[in-house]
């Protein structure tokens, strides 16, 4: 005789709803409190924010240029790491291991005081070169006195992050099944066409999350350029905060600087999620 099925009633989850309401309530209170905190220092914001925004624009520009160069270094390094020619592969491996095994601050100082001084003794000065080029366009007044620091700072950042992107690109390419490459070659595509139309579109989708993480970290590490005399966001924030005797105002200026970094970096995270979801829809 078949026994009747006993249906178990689902347990009440009302306590989860209560926790949700509590979370949103705490969030609203925290946002309101932070808004009031900013409002209470309105005079400080009015005084310092325009200069911090100018420094933030410089930080964005330096970071964007550094990331473009880092992508170039990374792609060249990844090509070397995947090369069938052993000396090229060893050279690319040495580049990755040496750069990743030494502090970025030491590398920046080495580029500015080591490589920069050596090139200067050979007759190459980035400031003079940029000044002469901009003179042709009658805009040499736009060349900053600290242009050499900007130049070697950008080279140092891009050279460092190029090593990390080398491994990102290499792992992304190697993740693609070799059967797809063999199938493309059997259909008559050459190696360059296979890489462009088959491998890279899939590798880009895989490398978007780590690439974005490194870009965000590079923006934050651009603060290290202050040791070279580059007046970026962190340097400007410190120059305003350090002379103040009021600890509350000093703390607020640092918070304001950190808030600008957040405003710069958070949209990149949202863009990365959007691109990842958009490209994943095709797969």
């Amino acid at each position: 005789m078949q026994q009747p099925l006993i249906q178990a009633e689902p347990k009440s989850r009302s306590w989860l709803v209560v926790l949700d309401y509590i979370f949103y309530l705490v969030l609203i209170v925290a946002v309101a409190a932070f808004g009031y905190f900013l409002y209470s220092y309105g005079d400080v914001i009015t005084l310092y924010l325009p200069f911090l925004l100018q420094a933030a624009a410089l930080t964005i520009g330096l970071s964007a240029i550094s990331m473009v160069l880092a992508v170039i270094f990374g792609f060249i390094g990844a090509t070397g790491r995947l090369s069938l020619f052993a000396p090229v592969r060893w050279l690319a491996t040495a580049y990755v291991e040496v750069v990743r095994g030494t502090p970025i601050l030491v590398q920046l100082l080495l580029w500015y005081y080591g490589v920069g001084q050596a090139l200067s003794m050979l007759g190459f000065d980035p400031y003079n070169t940029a000044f002469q080029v901009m003179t042709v366009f009658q805009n040499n007044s736009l060349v900053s006195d600290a242009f050499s620091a900007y130049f070697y700072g950008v080279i140092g950042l891009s050279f460092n992050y190029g090593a990390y992107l080398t491994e990102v690109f290499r792992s992304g390419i190697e993740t693609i099944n070799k059967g797809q490459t063999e199938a493309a070659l059997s259909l008559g595509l050459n190696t360059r066409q296979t890489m462009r139309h088959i491998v890279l579109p899939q590798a880009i989708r895989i490398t978007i999350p780590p690439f974005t993480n490194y870009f965000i970290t590079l923006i934050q590490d651009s603060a290290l350029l202050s040791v070279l005399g580059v007046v970026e966001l962190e340097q400007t924030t410190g120059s305003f905060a350090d002379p103040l005797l009021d600890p509350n105002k000093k703390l607020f200026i640092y918070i304001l600087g950190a808030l600008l970094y957040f405003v710069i970096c958070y949209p990149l995270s949202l863009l990365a999620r959007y691109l990842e979801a958009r490209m994943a829809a095709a797969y």
Side-chain angles (χ1 to χ4, degrees), residues 78-258:
T79 304
R81 292 277 280 133
L82 297 173
S83 175
L84 298 177
F85 190 47
V88 174
R89 190 167 62 250
W90 295 340
L91 182 62
T93 302
Y95 161 60
V96 172
E97 298 302 332
V98 170
V99 171
R100 295 197 306 176
T102 53
I104 184 175
L105 182 58
V106 174
Q107 296 174 29
L108 291 174
L109 295 174
L110 180 62
W111 274 102
Y112 186 63
Y113 294 105
V115 178
Q117 293 297 327
L119 292 178
S120 179
M121 293 175 61
L122 296 175
F124 174 73
D125 186 359
Y127 172 79
N128 290 335
T129 303
F131 189 88
Q132 293 172 5
V133 171
M134 295 303 292
T135 299
V136 176
F137 299 100
Q138 299 181 351
N139 285 320
N140 52 17
S141 60
L142 298 178
V143 182
S144 171
D145 294 336
F147 181 82
S148 295
Y150 296 159
F151 178 83
Y152 288 112
V154 167
I155 294 296
L157 281 178
S158 58
F159 194 76
N160 178 272
Y161 276 87
Y164 291 94
L165 292 182
T166 292
E167 292 300 283
V168 171
F169 296 156
R170 179 193 61 80
S171 61
I173 292 173
E174 289 185 334
T175 301
I176 308 305
N177 194 327
K178 293 183 178 180
Q180 298 188 33
T181 302
E182 296 172 355
L185 294 175
S186 66
L187 291 174
L189 298 179
N190 57 36
T191 304
R192 181 179 300 177
Q193 291 172 332
T194 301
M195 180 64 68
R196 178 182 177 184
H197 297 289
I198 305 299
V199 177
L200 287 183
Q202 299 179 74
I204 290 175
R205 177 179 63 89
I206 296 172
T207 58
I208 283 179
F211 176 83
T212 307
N213 290 338
Y214 282 125
F215 192 11
I216 293 174
T217 308
L218 186 147
I219 293 174
Q220 298 168 359
D221 281 347
S222 65
L224 297 174
L225 299 183
S226 60
V227 301
L228 306 182
V230 176
V231 187
E232 40 68 60
L233 181 56
E234 176 62 26
Q235 174 74 1
T236 304
T237 303
S239 64
F240 288 152
D242 292 341
L244 296 178
L245 299 178
D246 188 348
N248 293 325
K249 287 187 177 181
K250 179 179 295 190
L251 176 61
F252 177 78
I253 293 178
Y254 279 118
I255 292 176
L256 190 60

